Amino acid sequence: MMENPGAWTFNSSAEWLDVNHLREVSDMSWVREYKKCSGGCEEVFAEFMEHPRWSCEGSPEIFDGGSWIGHVWPATIFLIWGLHWLQGLVVQYYRGAQGGEPYVARSYYQLWVIPEMVESWFKFVLPWFCILLELYLGYSPPTLKTMTCPSGTLLAGHLLGSHMGNWQHAFMYPGFIASGFADLFSHRVTAVPKGVTHGTPGA
């Protein structure tokens, strides 16, 4: 798919990013088929030059990041979660109004007859699985997505652009884990000050 450009040497980054050089280190037939472009695919390289990303062998990575299901699935989860919070807020507000108590925001809500702490357990447990999906399990075969290029490659030790998105997503989840832990801990330990669950990331 891509050739190893290790034999080429360049005096500046401008030469490295030159369209003619990029054509040399890229299998243009593959680029044309993947990007549905014609001729020299200059428009594809122009887009690449705005946000260049390289493989560990030094060839340009010209492909779209992510997948349709990889974005729709989490969005659906957040939509359902938002609706759950909406019903929990409304129910708690009207229950408080009927009893003469002021509304106090929470970091978790109960849904009908489902046990109260189920949401907190989901926040604490599910993100661990999501981290594994991002960095290892979501690929065939399962492969650890390293943050840097391995030794023995042209760009050894440099950040690997195509994997940075996976690590960025993985680092979002600890906030939810911390929030779930704070919920569960404060529910079990009554001596925990009120409001601790609101001070954790992801709450």
Side-chain angles (χ1 to χ4, degrees):
M1 187 178 298
M2 298 291 186
E3 298 176 17
N4 188 334
W8 284 284
T9 58
F10 300 91
N11 297 320
S12 68
S13 58
E15 289 186 35
W16 183 270
L17 284 171
D18 181 75
V19 170
N20 292 323
H21 164 243
L22 292 176
R23 287 202 200 97
E24 288 179 355
V25 297
S26 303
D27 183 344
M28 294 309 301
S29 61
W30 173 81
V31 174
R32 291 190 189 97
E33 180 180 352
Y34 181 75
K35 285 290 191 176
K36 308 299 183 189
C37 59
S38 59
C41 295
E42 281 82 359
E43 67 278 12
V44 173
F45 287 123
E47 179 183 344
F48 168 82
M49 290 177 194
E50 291 293 325
H51 302 283
R53 192 168 62 181
W54 308 93
S55 73
C56 291
E57 298 303 330
S59 55
E61 292 189 331
I62 304 175
F63 59 86
D64 299 320
S67 63
W68 185 84
I69 189 64
H71 288 86
V72 172
W73 172 245
T76 303
I77 294 296
F78 278 113
L79 177 61
I80 294 173
W81 194 5
L83 292 173
H84 163 63
W85 266 48
L86 177 61
Q87 69 81 30
L89 184 153
V90 171
V91 169
Q92 182 171 328
Y93 175 82
Y94 280 103
R95 281 178 180 173
Q98 291 174 352
E101 299 178 0
Y103 170 77
V104 178
R106 302 179 60 179
S107 59
Y108 59 91
Y109 291 96
Q110 185 173 7
L111 180 63
W112 297 306
V113 296
I114 298 175
E116 182 180 33
M117 302 307 296
V118 166
E119 179 185 350
S120 298
W121 276 108
F122 267 108
K123 284 195 292 183
F124 181 68
V125 175
L126 189 58
W128 293 103
F129 176 68
C130 294
I131 291 174
L132 285 175
L133 280 177
E134 286 285 352
L135 301 181
Y136 184 72
L137 294 178
Y139 311 94
S140 182
T143 306
L144 177 63
K145 294 297 179 179
T146 58
M147 190 178 292
T148 59
C149 291
S151 60
T153 60
L154 186 65
L155 299 180
H158 290 263
L159 292 175
L160 181 51
S162 59
H163 293 180
M164 293 307 295
N166 302 88
W167 282 89
Q168 182 267 329
H169 287 148
F171 272 99
M172 295 192 304
Y173 294 115
F176 295 101
I177 296 172
S179 178
F181 175 79
D183 292 346
L184 297 168
F185 186 75
S186 63
H187 184 74
R188 294 281 184 178
V189 182
T190 56
V192 174
K194 291 184 178 180
V196 167
T197 56
H198 294 84
T200 55

